[in-house]
Amino acid sequence: MTRIVYVNGDYMPEGDAKISIFDRGFLMADGVYEVTTVIDGKLIDFEGHFTRLERSLGELDIANPMDRDAWLEVHRQLVGQNAVDQGMIYLQVTRGAPGDRDFVFPDPDTTAPTVVLFTQSNPALVDSPKAKKGIKVVTIDDLRWGRRDIKTVQLLYPSMGKMMAIKQGADDAWMVQDGAITEGTSNNAYIIKDGKIVTRALSNDILHGITRAAVLRFAREAQMRVEERNFTVEEAKSADEAFVTSASTFVMPVVSIDGTELGTGTPGPLATRLREIYIEESRKAAI
């Protein structure tokens, strides 16, 4: 089935969708994005994604082209028109297409933002085979720019990082800055030691994950101990368990770091339980 996508106010078959070659998202990576999960045909953590979208746009001085209710309506229309039961909705907002290439921002009164949304169906999202066996990660230097808290479309280095991992027989990479793990290429990173969950504190160094916030809230509600601080590669390799979180993976156990197996080399009990809790609670709150 041909997907129906949304481009600048119109719903259309994906094959009919077109964006100007002068769009600043294409020329300058001058834009932001969000990814919202769909489970049972409903949206997960929509409010968090909308709030972060507003923040990212504000940090780049791009006007939000729609209010909260309009964004919600587009999301729901795409879920319905594409019959998505489990999957994702990807949205991207760029500074628009001023008609020529220039480093200087275009006048927002004459150049409207470009807005694109599309769905990605994934029937195995909840019952993920990878979650049952866990993933392997390797560590790489964090060579990204200094505002990782803004969810921009500058994804070249994270994409390169995933390819570095694949070439080493792993699933993903954890990035390292000054000896400490920052985050994964498309997820937040955690270790568990002696029953305590450790993850890097929020700053400009990492993305303020929406799934991260929900998982930490559920963990604390379940009386699990949480510590937000930097942790080293050596700490990670000696951890009892590890995991990552993102909208597309929920809670994904990590079973190996740089070839060092964690625990028994299989998904640990705390990470497994956190995944169960996140899915259960998210389903209850979905809209």
Side-chain angles (χ1 to χ4, degrees):
M1 182 181 74
T2 298
R3 279 180 296 186
I4 299 300
V5 302
Y6 178 95
V7 180
N8 293 332
D10 296 318
Y11 298 92
M12 64 188 71
E14 60 183 284
D16 295 339
K18 295 178 176 63
I19 296 295
S20 169
I21 63 168
F22 298 112
D23 193 275
R24 286 180 61 90
F26 170 62
L27 295 177
M28 307 282 188
D30 188 1
V32 303
Y33 77 104
E34 282 292 336
V35 184
T36 301
T37 309
V38 178
I39 300 179
D40 305 328
K42 295 182 179 181
L43 303 170
I44 304 299
D45 288 328
F46 174 80
E47 300 300 338
H49 288 289
F50 171 71
T51 299
R52 187 172 62 183
L53 173 65
E54 284 200 309
R55 180 183 183 277
S56 293
L57 290 169
E59 291 295 307
L60 296 185
D61 199 24
I62 299 175
N64 192 338
M66 288 189 274
D67 62 21
R68 180 257 186 205
D69 291 343
W71 280 115
L72 179 58
E73 177 61 21
V74 174
H75 279 69
R76 284 178 165 164
Q77 282 288 335
L78 288 176
V79 169
Q81 292 192 40
N82 292 290
V84 180
D85 179 59
Q86 293 185 46
M88 320 296 298
I89 297 182
Y90 176 100
L91 76 84
Q92 180 168 307
V93 181
T94 78
R95 204 178 302 273
D100 211 339
R101 185 180 183 277
D102 195 337
F103 278 89
V104 177
F105 290 176
D107 183 348
D109 291 332
T110 57
T111 301
T114 297
V115 181
V116 172
L117 292 92
F118 58 84
T119 59
Q120 293 181 322
S121 182
N122 182 358
L125 191 62
V126 172
D127 192 24
S128 167
K130 280 190 174 182
K132 291 179 172 62
K133 66 178 184 178
I135 63 171
K136 300 176 181 180
V137 302
V138 295
T139 56
I140 61 174
D141 289 336
D142 198 336
L143 302 181
R144 299 171 297 164
W145 79 317
R147 289 304 308 276
R148 304 155 196 165
D149 57 305
I150 306 172
K151 198 171 177 68
T152 73
V153 296
Q154 298 183 53
L155 297 174
L156 180 57
Y157 188 68
S159 182
M160 291 171 65
K162 285 190 184 292
M163 295 310 298
M164 292 178 209
I166 290 170
K167 288 178 181 178
Q168 296 181 57
D171 301 287
D172 203 355
W174 279 6
M175 292 175 279
V176 182
Q177 177 177 282
D178 299 326
I181 304 292
T182 50
E183 57 189 342
T185 59
S186 58
N187 43 60
N188 292 119
Y190 311 73
I191 60 173
I192 301 174
K193 186 68 174 179
D194 298 327
K196 181 184 291 184
I197 300 166
V198 180
T199 190
R200 194 178 181 102
L202 295 179
S203 69
N204 289 354
D205 291 333
I206 67 170
L207 183 68
H208 298 192
I210 303 306
T211 306
R212 174 191 185 278
V215 167
L216 292 184
R217 183 175 73 253
F218 296 147
R220 290 182 171 113
E221 289 173 355
Q223 305 302 308
M224 297 180 186
R225 293 181 293 155
V226 176
E227 185 175 358
E228 296 181 63
R229 62 165 175 83
N230 290 3
F231 61 91
T232 66
V233 176
E234 290 70 28
E235 278 187 277
K237 290 180 179 179
S238 64
D240 301 321
E241 301 181 45
F243 63 94
V244 298
T245 63
S246 72
S248 60
T249 61
F250 308 148
V251 177
M252 180 63 65
V254 171
V255 297
S256 171
I257 301 173
D258 287 338
T260 299
E261 282 193 353
L262 305 185
T264 62
T266 59
L270 276 181
T272 300
R273 181 56 185 145
L274 268 177
R275 180 180 175 86
E276 293 171 350
I277 292 172
Y278 177 78
I279 293 172
E280 291 169 4
E281 295 301 319
S282 294
R283 274 180 153 148
K284 292 176 187 177
I287 62 173

